Amino acid sequence: MVHRHLLVAASLPMALAFATTPAAAQAPETTPSIVETMRTLSGKQKARPSGAKGQCFTGSFVPTAEAKNLSKSPVFAKTSTVVARLSVGGGNPKVMDANKAVNRGFSFRIDPGGAGQTEFVMVNAPINFVKSPEQMLEFLKVRLPGADGKPQADKIKAFTDANPETTGQGRYLASKPVVGSWVGVNYWGIHPYTLTNAAGAKQLVKFKMAPLGGEVGLTDEEAKAKPADFLVDELKGRIEKKQPAGFDMIAIMGKAGDEKTNATQLWDGEDARPTVKLGTLTITALEKNETCDNAIFDPTTLADGLAGPDDPLFIQRQPAYAISIGERL
Ligand code: HEM
């Protein structure tokens, strides 16, 4: 099946691709520069400039009865098929799987059929490293090499001093052990979403994918001993041995007044908030990478009953990913 985002990226002029989302109206000018700078930093390769290394899988999603009470979305009405890409962060497709400095990514498409297709693009941290497209562009630009080809440490320091919230995600990752399994770590959607049920009641939530078999962390010693590409083999082994290979989808409940447009911030007491289990996503088979690479995972593709925030950072992800696929294919 040719995915519709591939069609957007490949066959429409860029202005039209932007026109597919209201997003573009808010901050269209930063999107091409952000993607261009990401691509420059990762060497203009034919690979994603973020989450460059990864593997495609297929699976299923089984919703809970509670999910139906919160959202009328077709993804919570019945069992759906799933296409998922698990990745290692950054723009280096040869990065060691045990690298501690980059995040792990989890992109997935839940497809109940018809108009219900829904996509999430999550990472293994509850917060993002920037709060706006403008801050993202600056964050990337100060990391470009200077005229002498060397990193500009003074520029990075000045930016970091002026934008201390941009260190939060890195500090979170540094506080955790090296990830020992793609299905052994929590992933978060980060942005707040609004669920709407059949009666029209709305509930603000954040999404978290909690590993069925618990977290798997490696000591630095254990990490050093791991082969460069151990994550695929580890997950293949779990599937073959019928060990836990999936996640509970958890809704962290929001309340009136919660921040919706600063992805660098946790909500007040977020870790202790009430949660509702929305379903279980199981990874069942390895899939050829083409299936994931020939399309984008677009977090703004959400079925009825699910909506993302009115946050330029969230809205810019669709046009950014659409530009990126056009450059990397
Ligand atoms: C909370 C915010 C964000 C998170 C959690 C996030 C996470 C991710 C992940 C996990 C991937 C790998 C996707 C895959 O496996 O196919 C990715 C790719 C990418 N991200 Fe983001 N991202 C965020 C915001 C943004 C923003 C605001 C931009 C640019 C405006 C951006 C630009 C990109 C690009 C260009 C790619 C490569 C896409 C492709 O070639 O298919 N991201 N991101």
Side-chain angles (χ1 to χ4, degrees), residues 34-35 38 48-51 85 87 105-107 121-123 128 136 190-191 296-297 313 316-317 320-321 324-325 328:
I34 289 175
V35 179
M38 289 171 79
R48 290 168 181 77
S50 169
R85 183 170 183 271
S87 57
F106 182 27
S107 307
V121 183
M122 304 191 175
V123 290
N128 194 37
M136 183 160 177
I190 298 183
H191 306 282
I296 60 168
F297 291 94
L313 190 79
Q316 269 212 332
R317 297 179 66 184
Y321 296 6
S324 179
I325 192 172
R328 69 174 160 77

Side-chain angles (χ1 to χ4, degrees), residues 91-175:
N92 176 6
K94 301 229 158 72
V95 66
M96 298 282 285
D97 282 356
N99 187 309
K100 198 174 170 169
V102 292
N103 56 33
R104 304 294 176 276
F106 182 27
S107 307
F108 54 96
R109 177 176 309 124
I110 304 179
D111 194 353
Q117 189 165 291
T118 289
E119 296 173 10
F120 290 100
V121 183
M122 304 191 175
V123 290
N124 64 327
I127 52 173
N128 194 37
F129 62 96
V130 287
K131 62 183 177 193
S132 67
E134 292 73 23
Q135 193 180 46
M136 183 160 177
L137 185 56
E138 258 336 278
F139 179 98
L140 295 165
K141 275 190 170 167
V142 297
R143 283 160 174 80
L144 289 169
D148 58 0
K150 295 196 178 126
Q152 307 184 80
D154 51 337
K155 273 198 173 180
I156 296 175
K157 186 179 180 316
F159 172 83
T160 307
D161 288 349
N163 298 271
E165 66 276 24
T166 58
T167 61
Q169 189 188 71
R171 270 186 285 119
Y172 174 84
L173 293 172
S175 75

Side-chain angles (χ1 to χ4, degrees), residues 30 65 78 90 201 251 273 297 322:
T30 46
K78 59 174 181 138
R273 292 278 179 110
F297 291 94

Side-chain angles (χ1 to χ4, degrees), residues 235-288:
L235 183 43
K236 261 172 34 190
R238 281 180 185 246
I239 295 169
E240 278 157 24
K241 288 180 228 146
K242 306 222 179 304
Q243 290 168 348
F247 304 87
D248 282 333
M249 178 186 271
I250 304 292
I252 302 168
M253 305 302 261
K255 53 185 190 213
D258 278 343
E259 176 65 57
K260 288 189 203 158
T261 58
N262 184 348
T264 62
Q265 300 291 316
L266 288 176
W267 284 334
D268 289 341
E270 185 171 316
D271 291 342
R273 292 278 179 110
T275 59
V276 173
K277 181 174 150 184
L278 299 175
T280 302
L281 188 154
T282 309
I283 303 285
T284 50
L286 199 75
E287 171 68 17
K288 56 182 188 316

